[in-house]
């Protein structure tokens, strides 16, 4: 352990580039899924509305992650010793929620792609969400 770690503690888990990448990718994925939900709306309005609402939840997750990234960077300049940020059950549940949102969005996009409704666009949305789900798993702090 270096001297700076002993006096300041470890860096907050949300202060990594992975978190920033995940937040921006989640926001982009939510906009893509939302646009596809609007395209899918005429084919089935309940499924289209549900897809749009799911993308809205993804947008909220991405924005909250971006806020936590900014908070973590602010906490790194705090002169007081650091304590682990968000080392709570809430943090673990937040990662599970993000993982679930991306996997559900991928499954919905796959269902639309299988029905041959804008298959290329849905395939891109699937790839983006699966990459984001991988980043969620990678950024999750270990207990």
């Amino acid at each position: 352990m270096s001297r700076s770690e002993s006096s300041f503690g470890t860096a907050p888990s949300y202060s990594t580039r992975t978190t920033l990448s995940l937040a921006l990718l989640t926001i982009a994925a939510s906009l893509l899924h939302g646009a596809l939900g609007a395209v899918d709306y005429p084919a089935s309005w309940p499924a289209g509305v549900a897809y749009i609402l799911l993308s809205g939840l993804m947008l909220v997750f991405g924005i909250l992650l971006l806020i936590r990234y900014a908070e973590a960077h602010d906490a790194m300049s705090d002169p007081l010793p650091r304590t682990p940020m968000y080392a709570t059950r809430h943090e673990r549940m937040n990662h599970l929620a993000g993982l679930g949102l991306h996997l559900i969005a991928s499954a919905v996009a796959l269902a639309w792609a299988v029905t041959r409704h804008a298959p290329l666009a849905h395939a891109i949305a699937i790839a983006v969400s699966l990459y984001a789900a991988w980043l969620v798993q990678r950024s999750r702090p270990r207990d």
Side-chain angles (χ1 to χ4, degrees):
M1 180 183 297
S2 70
R3 179 181 164 93
S4 63
E5 282 186 18
S6 63
S7 61
F8 291 113
T10 58
S13 62
Y14 283 105
S15 65
T16 63
R17 284 185 189 216
T18 302
T19 300
L20 178 61
S21 300
L22 176 60
L24 296 175
L25 188 63
T26 298
I27 291 169
S30 72
L31 295 175
L32 178 59
H33 285 289
L36 288 172
V39 168
D40 298 335
Y41 180 84
S44 170
W45 71 266
V49 168
Y51 198 18
I52 292 169
L53 291 175
L54 176 65
S55 72
L57 290 173
M58 287 176 64
L59 183 62
V60 169
F61 175 74
I63 291 171
L64 288 176
L65 211 54
L66 198 57
I67 290 169
R68 286 187 173 180
Y69 175 80
E71 286 177 344
H73 271 273
D74 181 55
M76 290 177 69
S77 62
D78 191 349
L80 300 174
R82 293 188 198 126
T83 57
M85 286 183 70
Y86 305 110
T88 63
R89 180 176 184 267
H90 175 263
E91 180 186 15
R92 291 184 294 277
M93 295 305 290
N94 185 44
H95 281 82
L96 288 176
L99 184 63
L101 286 170
H102 281 291
L103 292 178
I104 291 169
S106 295
V108 171
L110 180 62
W112 280 108
V114 166
T115 62
R116 300 193 185 270
H117 197 262
L120 181 60
H122 283 97
I124 292 169
I126 292 167
V128 169
S129 280
L130 288 178
Y131 180 62
W134 179 76
L135 282 178
V136 169
Q137 261 318 96
R138 186 171 167 220
S139 68
R140 183 176 181 273
R142 301 296 168 218
D143 297 327

